Amino acid sequence: MSYEPLSSRPPYQYPPPAPPQYAAPRHQASPPYPVPQHQAPPYATYPWQPPAPPEPEAGPRSPRRPALGHHSDLRILRGAYRWQRRVATLTALGYFTLFLILSAFAPSFMTGEVADGLPTGLLLALVQLPVTWLATALYEYTARRRVDPIADRIRKQAEVDAKREAAR
């Protein structure tokens, strides 16, 4: 087994040299037309595929507004609706969670009497129903005051946009 000394190897080139281009055999003449490089064949490769859609004509375009999904009013609406859900949910579930925590970790408080024969736990359980009604009323109030006006404004703008598109 013989090893070549490192000094006899040619130095490494970066980038490596390009591979040699293969020329046509000498007995064949090059074609009289230019050969396209890296283009799709002019025939359908897969006959079951639908034909490619025609390219749209390049004509004068009117300036378009951004798509309705990216509209800032929709972001505002989502934020208002998210706030509305959180407030109503935390009102109802927060009170119920507080009731459960008191039941589990403060049994002496829950068994204490508020009035003659009325334990604190029972009173807090009965208050759960009005708290649920309060959460529902708060949800409706915030919907009417904050969410519905934004939704109405977006709805009217969408109708104007639809009429504008239909007129084209």
Side-chain angles (χ1 to χ4, degrees), residues 82-166:
R82 189 178 309 124
W83 184 86
Q84 175 194 21
R85 283 188 326 241
R86 285 179 185 162
V87 168
T89 302
L90 290 177
T91 301
L93 287 181
Y95 182 81
F96 184 68
T97 304
L98 176 69
F99 176 76
L100 290 179
I101 289 172
L102 287 175
S103 297
F105 296 109
S108 60
F109 173 74
M110 296 298 274
T111 56
E113 289 189 8
V114 177
D116 291 333
L118 181 62
T120 308
L122 181 60
L123 179 67
L124 292 177
L126 293 174
V127 170
Q128 179 66 43
L129 188 61
V131 168
T132 305
W133 289 339
L134 174 71
T136 304
L138 184 65
Y139 187 87
E140 288 178 3
Y141 174 76
T142 56
R144 271 188 256 112
R145 185 159 184 223
R146 297 188 180 191
V147 178
D148 289 347
I150 300 169
D152 290 339
R153 186 172 60 221
I154 291 172
R155 192 175 298 116
K156 287 176 186 174
Q157 185 64 43
E159 288 173 5
V160 169
D161 287 345
K163 288 177 183 176
R164 187 180 301 144
E165 288 293 323

Side-chain angles (χ1 to χ4, degrees), residues 1-33:
M1 191 176 200
S2 67
Y3 294 100
E4 296 179 27
L6 292 175
S7 60
S8 66
R9 293 185 183 164
Y12 180 74
Q13 294 179 345
Y14 186 82
Q21 296 293 327
Y22 296 105
R26 292 185 186 190
H27 66 283
Q28 289 182 348
S30 62
Y33 54 87

